[in-house]
Amino acid sequence: MALPDEELGISYLIVGAGVFGVSTAFHLKRSKPWATVVLVDRYLYPNPSAASFDLNKIIRADYHDIFYMKLALQAMEAWNSDPLYKPFYHETGILFAENVGKGAVFLDNYRRLGQETQAESLDVDEVRQRFPCFQHANWTGVTRAYYNPRSGWGEAVPALGALLQAAIDIGVVYEPTTVAKVCLETAALTGQLLPRCVGIETAEGRVLRADHVILCTGAATAKLLADSAPNDPTLHVGDRLVAAAALSCKVRVDPEKWPLYRDAPVFANLMSHTSGEAIPLTPEGGFIKVNHELSFTHMIYHSASNTHFSSPPDSVKHSCWAEDVPQVLKEEAMKVLRGTYGPYMEDFQPESYRMCWDVVTKNQGWIISPHDACENLYVAAGGSFHAWKFLPILGEYVVAMLDGTLDEESVNRWSWYSIADSAGACESYAPRRDLKDILQTEKVKARV
Ligand SMILES: Cc1cc2nc3c(=O)[nH]c(=O)nc-3n(C[C@H](O)[C@H](O)[C@H](O)COP(=O)(O)OP(=O)(O)OC[C@H]3O[C@@H](n4cnc5c(N)ncnc54)[C@H](O)[C@@H]3O)c2cc1C
């Protein structure tokens, strides 16, 4: 095949080896074997503070935003049948307890898409009988539950690691290094309207040049752009991408008790008395993970740019699995365990907790877009607490964006200047407080 001149020797540099970056590297190299594709991350895989690093993640197509349901169905096909992903997918089913009609919308969306589904609306007594480990859950306020046996969860680190290895096997170059800033040539220098990105500079001062730089930097995106162009606010993220964390808690279950939990589905009890979800027993180690939905920011002052934005704290205990998190957050994890398992939570020993940092957009949709204020710079981020399950397909859409072949709806949904007004893909996780407030409450409690 003869390549057009502009494709000869073309190079792409992807910053960030989470689900956005790894999926992009894989699909980019697969679709353009002639291109140089370099993927850089702060760590040799895996990075324990990345949102994509986890014990497990929920995989489901049950979305009330039909746009994301369609995409999730595409991803589910890969989880169900592609040998690259299938070994890491556990189809345990998913159960929702809620009283705002989400289940009815899910069912209606499947119908509108002409998609066969085994999902059903269940009476609470029936759920209690079918899933004995949830018989003492807090069902207050729930009239009917929603159950889909065709959803489940994925093993986060091995699945992403397998895709990274597959990317390396086809020629992606992986470089563990911290990017200090993206290298920009000013508009005055290039004679163009916009500045141009020509590569990145590492923390050690090394410059890696590339024709196209794609930021898949998750929660670190705001700081990286502010560090790169402190005096040019048009390059900053503004309120498009806000770093936010939610608390996860990992509990170990006594092996004698495993039979009660072994066949349980994922359970999302969205009622305010619980506000969280539980991912069932891992076959190895016997861990259950719960998340509490009420997320929080970490606002900082960035002196070089004289701006404020949310950015994950540097300390390991505030971003990786740790025993030492504020008591307020531990109590919230207990609330989820109590609302999910009732007295059965006595069977569990909390092993560790984690403030897991993702980056959230206003409507919890993603940004997969050229940076509108800079040539050759692109952003693929905005996981908004629900992007992990799309690992098999995210990169296909990033490649389409780079090639200018994204369909119109996706362009509108994911543009840097998002113009789509969507229903909110994961609104229960929208941040409503700051880590400083949590630490302050902790101090006040300690004084009382
Ligand atoms: C508590 C919690 C639970 C979740 N549960 C689910 C779930 O059940 N199902 C689901 O589908 N989704 C879930 N998500 C969402 C999902 O995990 C994220 O949306 C997704 O992992 C984000 O991926 P990412 O690639 O954008 O970011 P990340 O995974 O954070 O990756 C970004 C990478 O960029 C690198 N990086 C950043 N800056 C630099 C730099 N300057 N130099 C070099 N490297 C850099 C980082 O080291 C990191 O590895 C959850 C999220 C959270 C927080």
Side-chain angles (χ1 to χ4, degrees), residues 16 19-20 41 47 51-52 57-58 179 356 358 383 386 388-389:
V19 286
F20 277 95
D41 197 285
N47 168 6
S52 305
K57 298 283 191 190
I58 299 167
V179 176
C356 182
D358 200 355
H386 69 107
W388 193 91
K389 64 184 72 61

Side-chain angles (χ1 to χ4, degrees), residues 211-224:
D211 299 314
H212 301 281
V213 173
I214 306 146
L215 300 185
C216 300
T217 36
T221 311
K223 181 156 187 313
L224 181 57

Side-chain angles (χ1 to χ4, degrees), residues 15-22 40-43 46-47 49-54 56-60 63 152 160 174-175 177-181 216-221 224 244-248 277 279 289-292 354-359 366 380-390 394 429:
V15 188
V19 286
F20 277 95
V22 171
V40 302
D41 197 285
R42 287 186 191 125
Y43 290 84
N47 168 6
S49 66
S52 305
F53 173 95
D54 212 332
N56 44 29
K57 298 283 191 190
I58 299 167
I59 295 177
R60 62 176 163 99
Y63 270 87
L160 184 60
Y174 186 75
E175 277 247 8
T177 187
T178 296
V179 176
K181 57 183 184 178
C216 300
T217 36
T221 311
L224 181 57
L247 186 85
S248 300
E277 60 252 359
I279 306 185
K289 190 188 89 176
V290 296
N291 300 320
H292 183 244
R354 180 169 177 217
M355 301 183 203
C356 182
W357 292 89
D358 200 355
V359 70
W366 313 321
S384 303
F385 295 103
H386 69 107
W388 193 91
K389 64 184 72 61
F390 299 93
L394 281 171
Y429 269 94

Side-chain angles (χ1 to χ4, degrees), residues 30-314:
R30 199 160 72 162
S31 68
K32 300 176 194 289
W34 57 86
T36 301
V37 178
V38 178
L39 173 63
V40 302
D41 197 285
R42 287 186 191 125
Y43 290 84
L44 199 58
Y45 181 82
N47 168 6
S49 66
S52 305
F53 173 95
D54 212 332
L55 181 66
N56 44 29
K57 298 283 191 190
I58 299 167
I59 295 177
R60 62 176 163 99
D62 314 283
Y63 270 87
H64 64 271
D65 183 337
I66 201 163
F67 175 81
Y68 283 99
M69 176 182 271
K70 234 188 311 182
L71 289 167
L73 284 167
Q74 190 196 342
M76 298 284 296
E77 226 174 280
W79 287 113
N80 276 306
S81 58
D82 188 325
L84 190 49
Y85 306 103
K86 196 173 155 54
F88 309 108
Y89 176 51
H90 299 261
E91 193 178 76
T92 56
I94 192 167
L95 181 67
F96 280 86
E98 46 90 26
N99 65 353
V100 290
K102 269 182 192 279
V105 176
F106 297 159
L107 288 169
D108 193 46
N109 282 350
Y110 281 118
R111 187 191 52 74
R112 284 167 63 200
L113 290 175
Q115 178 73 32
E116 263 185 42
T117 178
Q118 293 171 25
E120 56 185 329
S121 164
L122 293 178
D123 185 77
V124 172
D125 286 339
E126 206 179 334
V127 174
R128 284 183 152 135
Q129 261 181 9
R130 245 201 240 187
F131 307 112
C133 69
F134 302 134
Q135 61 183 307
H136 302 302
N138 190 343
W139 292 99
T140 310
V142 182
T143 42
R144 296 194 66 79
Y146 169 90
Y147 173 61
N148 187 348
R150 302 304 310 274
S151 300
W153 60 274
E155 295 172 35
V157 173
L160 184 60
L163 186 59
L164 175 59
Q165 190 55 55
I168 291 169
D169 291 346
I170 58 172
V172 169
V173 177
Y174 186 75
E175 277 247 8
T177 187
T178 296
V179 176
K181 57 183 184 178
V182 296
C183 300
L184 302 167
E185 284 179 354
T186 61
L189 189 73
T190 61
Q192 305 290 319
L193 279 176
L194 297 174
R196 183 167 61 201
C197 179
V198 291
I200 56 103
E201 186 177 322
T202 71
E204 313 87 57
R206 215 157 38 102
V207 171
L208 303 179
R209 293 182 74 87
D211 299 314
H212 301 281
V213 173
I214 306 146
L215 300 185
C216 300
T217 36
T221 311
K223 181 156 187 313
L224 181 57
L225 283 173
D227 285 346
S228 302
N231 300 318
D232 185 352
T234 64
L235 273 124
H236 300 171
V237 302
D239 58 2
R240 284 178 191 88
L241 289 168
V242 176
L247 186 85
S248 300
C249 168
K250 195 161 60 170
V251 299
R252 189 186 283 280
V253 184
D254 188 340
E256 282 168 29
K257 305 282 172 56
W258 288 6
L260 179 61
Y261 304 101
R262 193 171 274 139
D263 298 323
V266 173
F267 183 20
N269 191 336
L270 306 183
M271 303 301 290
S272 58
H273 48 62
T274 304
S275 300
E277 60 252 359
I279 306 185
L281 205 65
T282 54
E284 275 172 35
F287 290 106
I288 285 176
K289 190 188 89 176
V290 296
N291 300 320
H292 183 244
E293 287 186 330
L294 186 55
S295 75
F296 46 89
T297 53
H298 179 240
M299 294 302 291
I300 60 160
Y301 173 64
H302 186 261
S303 55
S305 62
N306 191 24
T307 56
H308 291 87
F309 51 79
S310 177
S311 183
D314 292 330

